[in-house]
Amino acid sequence: MASTIGEMVVTKTPSIIDLYKGVRARTMQIVAPLEIEDYVIQTAEFMSPPRWHIGHTSWFFETLLQTYQPGYKVYSEEYLFYFNSYYEGFGARIERPKRGTRSRPTVKDTVAYRKHVDEQIIGFLQSLENKTEGETVLALVRLGLEHEMQHQELLVYDIKHLLCDKYDAPLKPAPAPTVKVAGMAEIEGGLFWLGYDGRGSSPTVREGVGNYAFAFDNEKPAHQVFLQNYAIDRALVSNGDFLEFIRDGGYQNFRWWFSEGWEVVNREQWRAPFYWELHDGKWMIRDFAGLYAAESKANEPVCHVSFYEASAFAKWSGKRLPTEAEWEKAATFDPATGERKAFPWGNDSPDETKANLFENSVWMPAPIGAFPAGQNSYGCEQMIGDVWEWTTSDYVPYSGFKSEFDEYNDKWFVNQKVLRGGSYATPQSHIRSTYRNFFHAHERWMVSGFRCARDL
């Protein structure tokens, strides 16, 4: 399991311990409102039981202890089997669709396992000062924490599919929109540095602080790409926009769809995004807060749409989806100064005034125009948070890519599309403008939306 994490800046041991405690506590805060029966249910093959998430994220750290802590004894061979996910190098594992077919280990036993791993990791980190492999271990712990933050977001998805408005989410009201966001931003093409380089042109990126103190290997290396002139929507596509597409027969007209997408639409009988329900001829949207008429959420970004649906809407509207390079330039480039910034709004880290992320506790997309402080140099809003944005780019390695951890990112470089920007379920410290998420074109159980682009 030995690895290095490229040019990542590793924090000192006390800081990594504080980060470890905070991240691990947040996972348990997410599952705290669940009843014991909720932890073990798997509602679809693409979902996982909450019990599995809290065990798997502990398994990840136990594999580190197995490698680096002298004399460490495995907590349970059964747990190694049940809580592995897709790591072939760590032995046999239960098949993903069967994670909800077992009642053991119990939730109580899984929590005890988690506490055991926490005690071992914290004690191990406190003893690292004179160990030659200390930097490698700290880098792996940081990777494990970023991995756990990914699973915190997946937990939100899975709990929504399991319970939706029956889950007692600690909801806070979304901020009201204060500006009207409309039109498209025209962006000049040319050469652009795409990806994470550990330094960048801005002080924040160059010093490797905040969210840029870490990056996954699939964000590297930074490399030049050439862009034609293009325009990109200042606002995310809204529920109201998408409702027009539905009412215009968008799901019944093959002209807007890729052939594979049209096949899925007919096979699955799609007529609207995931979590939309038809009641007495009217479209309703169910979320953590309840069931609401789609019209009442017309100004919120549409979410739970697949790449196929996003592409079909874009074609229907006379536009297209942006490439990930177009998205990243819009999110980071300041045409007035010619500089690249860490985030759309500048070099400050995300906070609750700039983006709708997990810490906002909104638990759904916020209305368009609710975060003017997060606006980019071109007048685009909500490029960070709210919904992951589909791009038309295939999820493939950047030129010069080097894997930094076996079986983590490199094994997925086929048949998936890139999404950018984070969602309302993404922790603030986890997101970067260079972050590359990825899903299959037909998937829509995650918090996925989009904005459109067009050529100039």
Side-chain angles (χ1 to χ4, degrees):
M1 190 172 171
S3 171
T4 58
I5 312 297
E7 297 174 343
M8 189 191 82
V9 176
V10 180
T11 56
K12 294 181 181 179
T13 300
S15 296
I16 202 75
I17 290 176
D18 290 342
L19 180 62
Y20 181 90
K21 290 179 178 178
V23 170
R24 299 286 282 174
R26 182 165 55 210
T27 300
M28 300 310 293
Q29 289 166 2
I30 293 172
V31 299
L34 299 176
E35 298 294 342
I36 199 70
E37 293 85 355
D38 301 326
Y39 281 85
V40 298
I41 299 298
Q42 184 172 12
T43 50
E45 289 189 359
F46 50 82
M47 318 306 286
S48 295
R51 169 196 53 172
W52 184 86
H53 284 290
I54 64 176
H56 169 69
T57 49
S58 302
W59 168 92
F60 193 98
F61 287 109
E62 189 179 37
T63 61
L64 189 156
L65 292 168
Q66 286 178 265
T67 303
Y68 291 101
Q69 186 179 58
Y72 179 80
K73 294 182 179 180
V74 171
Y75 189 84
S76 166
E77 293 290 341
E78 177 190 1
Y79 290 15
L80 292 183
F81 171 79
Y82 181 71
F83 291 125
N84 189 357
S85 55
Y86 51 73
Y87 296 94
E88 300 283 352
F90 288 96
R93 65 197 186 283
I94 193 169
E95 296 175 24
R96 180 175 180 174
K98 296 182 179 179
R99 290 172 184 168
T101 62
R102 294 189 173 200
S103 60
R104 304 296 173 93
T106 64
V107 177
K108 180 180 179 181
D109 289 342
T110 303
V111 172
Y113 171 56
R114 187 177 178 89
K115 290 179 179 178
H116 165 80
V117 171
D118 285 347
E119 291 171 359
Q120 293 293 316
I121 285 286
I122 291 172
F124 186 45
L125 289 174
Q126 290 171 336
S127 68
L128 269 180
E129 188 173 350
N130 297 319
K131 293 185 180 294
T132 56
E133 72 271 19
E135 288 195 5
T136 299
V137 171
L138 291 175
L140 287 168
V141 170
R142 180 60 186 269
L143 175 65
L145 295 174
E146 298 293 333
H147 165 261
E148 181 142 352
M149 285 188 270
Q150 290 177 318
H151 277 271
Q152 289 167 352
E153 181 153 359
L154 292 173
L155 260 173
V156 174
Y157 302 167
D158 288 355
I159 291 171
K160 183 172 185 179
H161 197 263
L162 171 66
L163 295 172
C164 210
D165 51 334
K166 292 183 176 63
Y167 171 74
D168 188 19
L171 291 170
K172 292 181 181 178
T178 58
V179 294
K180 182 174 177 59
V181 189
M184 302 187 79
E186 296 188 354
I187 300 178
E188 185 178 3
L191 290 172
F192 173 71
W193 282 94
L194 174 67
Y196 177 95
D197 67 1
R199 296 180 302 276
S201 59
S202 74
T204 297
V205 181
R206 183 168 58 251
E207 294 170 11
V209 300
N211 296 47
Y212 285 84
F214 173 91
F216 289 110
D217 55 7
N218 65 359
E219 302 170 50
K220 310 170 191 176
H223 58 289
Q224 281 190 309
V225 297
F226 183 81
L227 301 176
Q228 301 289 345
N229 297 341
Y230 67 100
I232 192 167
D233 285 344
R234 291 192 174 93
L236 290 156
V237 171
S238 68
N239 289 322
D241 298 329
F242 210 85
L243 196 57
E244 291 183 28
F245 172 68
I246 295 172
R247 288 172 173 167
D248 194 45
Y251 281 87
Q252 289 79 41
N253 192 333
F254 69 90
R255 290 176 175 83
W256 312 129
W257 298 84
F258 291 119
S259 179
E260 286 187 3
W262 185 241
E263 191 276 329
V264 174
V265 166
N266 287 285
R267 184 182 70 239
E268 302 294 335
Q269 292 296 296
W270 287 356
R271 294 295 179 265
F274 207 34
Y275 294 108
W276 286 46
E277 304 174 12
L278 197 59
H279 291 262
D280 297 325
K282 294 185 178 180
W283 285 109
M284 311 286 285
I285 300 174
R286 189 179 298 277
D287 57 26
F288 283 107
L291 184 66
Y292 298 90
E295 288 91 344
S296 70
K297 290 178 168 287
N299 195 42
E300 294 178 14
V302 68
C303 66
H304 297 293
V305 292
S306 66
F307 173 80
Y308 293 139
E309 291 163 293
S311 296
F313 176 95
K315 187 175 182 180
W316 170 81
S317 65
K319 302 176 184 178
R320 60 173 174 81
L321 296 181
T323 67
E324 64 171 322
E326 289 173 336
W327 187 96
E328 189 172 312
K329 181 169 185 178
T332 62
F333 188 72
D334 185 346
T337 63
E339 292 181 346
R340 179 185 170 100
K341 297 179 178 179
F343 291 100
W345 53 82
N347 293 324
D348 294 336
S349 297
D351 62 36
E352 293 179 20
T353 69
K354 298 181 180 69
N356 181 21
L357 294 160
F358 180 81
E359 286 80 355
N360 293 59
S361 296
V362 175
W363 291 79
M364 65 189 71
I368 292 167
F371 292 91
Q375 186 179 104
N376 75 351
S377 300
Y378 299 97
C380 301
E381 292 201 12
Q382 290 161 276
M383 297 195 78
I384 298 295
D386 283 299
V387 294
W388 286 101
E389 300 183 33
W390 285 108
T391 73
T392 193
S393 296
D394 293 327
Y395 179 58
V396 295
Y398 286 160
S399 178
F401 169 82
K402 294 181 180 179
S403 177
E404 296 175 358
F405 187 82
D406 289 342
E407 297 192 81
Y408 201 88
N409 282 311
D410 52 333
K411 69 187 295 178
W412 308 113
F413 285 135
V414 63
N415 296 334
Q416 303 197 69
K417 291 291 186 179
V418 173
L419 301 91
R420 293 301 199 98
S423 79
Y424 66 78
T426 308
Q428 287 177 0
S429 63
H430 185 59
I431 194 61
R432 290 170 300 285
S433 297
T434 57
Y435 197 119
R436 305 175 78 201
N437 204 348
F438 51 94
F439 285 96
H440 294 286
H442 68 278
E443 294 182 288
R444 58 188 198 152
W445 50 273
M446 60 288 186
V447 182
S448 50
F450 64 104
R451 72 183 71 222
C452 295
R454 62 175 172 83
D455 300 327
L456 289 179

